[in-house]
Amino acid sequence: VRAICDVFRPGLRLTAHQSLLFTDIGEDQQKALGELLTAHGVQLSHQISQVRRWSMACVAWPTCGLSIAEAERALPGLVNRLERELAELGLADEQFTLRMTGCPNGCARPYNAVIGLVGKAKGRYTVYLGGNTLGTRLAFLYKDLVPEEDLVPVLTATFACFKEERLAGESLGDFYCRQGPDRLAAWHERQLDRRKGAA
Ligand code: SF4
């Protein structure tokens, strides 16, 4: 940030999505800005997956004294695994918000995200689904006290359901909202039964 400020003298804006905007930079300077960021090991927007770009966590441990589960430190690893699952399902280009917090206070706004993961106990999360990218719709509670290691399989099952049953042009958040928790859970159960039958 200091290097950018020294060279370009931009305006700085912090956003509610934890982004830092450099403003008042001319189009003719954007290439040089990209090169400076790359030289400092910062990935550019188009080099980051959609799921990572639209994810956000609160600080949780070790910064917040109210935390009862990991968030900021756990999210990057979770996103690594979700990136692989989404790519395998051909859904890597889907745009949706994913937010994780270390307690139900919800400082990263998980309750209006497409996917919200809320720390409820050590290593366990409540999974909320069905908000939207703009944050104008509340998510519903999908599963409670999900162990951290089960989060990726639980979410991946909903992605697979989305892939099979979405309407043309339907977003993930709208799909969750249309299905609701019971139909999503029933679909997951059927998949698990099918896998057991095949084993
Ligand atoms: S959501 Fe909870 S753990 Fe996260 S910053 Fe807010 S109070 Fe702390």
Side-chain angles (χ1 to χ4, degrees):
V1 172
R2 186 171 61 195
I4 289 171
C5 289
D6 283 347
V7 175
F8 299 100
R9 301 278 165 200
L12 295 176
R13 300 284 183 276
L14 298 172
T15 77
H17 194 67
Q18 298 182 343
S19 294
L20 173 60
L21 305 182
F22 300 106
T23 66
D24 309 316
I25 293 180
E27 269 185 47
D28 54 331
Q29 294 179 303
Q30 286 181 7
K31 188 164 174 277
L33 174 62
E35 288 168 355
L36 188 58
L37 286 165
T38 302
H40 284 79
V42 179
Q43 287 184 305
L44 305 182
S45 304
H46 67 272
Q47 297 168 325
I48 300 171
S49 69
Q50 287 290 340
V51 61
R52 194 177 301 276
R53 190 172 178 191
W54 291 92
S55 67
M56 182 162 76
C58 76
V59 290
W61 283 331
T63 308
C64 178
L66 297 177
S67 180
I68 48 180
E70 290 282 359
E72 188 180 56
R73 295 192 300 193
L75 188 66
L78 186 83
V79 168
N80 288 343
R81 285 177 282 149
L82 289 177
E83 279 174 341
R84 282 195 289 275
E85 300 291 350
L86 286 161
E88 220 161 272
L89 289 164
L91 298 173
D93 291 334
E94 293 300 321
Q95 183 183 305
F96 58 88
T97 43
L98 165 68
R99 296 182 187 152
M100 189 174 204
T101 63
C103 87
N105 283 334
C107 294
R109 305 192 306 281
Y111 303 115
N112 59 2
V114 174
I115 299 173
L117 308 173
V118 176
K120 180 87 173 277
K122 189 167 182 238
R124 289 178 181 262
Y125 296 81
T126 310
V127 177
Y128 291 86
L129 302 176
N132 59 10
T133 308
L134 284 178
T136 54
R137 182 174 62 211
L138 280 176
F140 56 79
L141 194 160
Y142 179 49
K143 285 182 189 288
D144 202 11
L145 289 168
V146 177
E148 189 173 348
E149 61 273 19
D150 291 347
L151 289 174
V152 171
V154 163
L155 293 177
T156 300
T158 69
F159 298 151
C161 183
F162 172 62
K163 183 180 176 176
E164 278 197 17
E165 307 203 1
R166 76 190 293 187
L167 302 175
E170 191 173 34
S171 70
L172 182 63
D174 288 350
F175 172 77
Y176 285 152
C177 202
R178 180 167 63 82
Q179 294 288 328
D182 296 342
R183 283 163 68 175
L184 281 170
W187 196 93
H188 191 188
E189 287 303 319
R190 281 200 301 279
Q191 295 305 305
L192 292 175
D193 288 347
R194 217 177 285 170
R195 256 178 249 159
K196 271 186 218 152

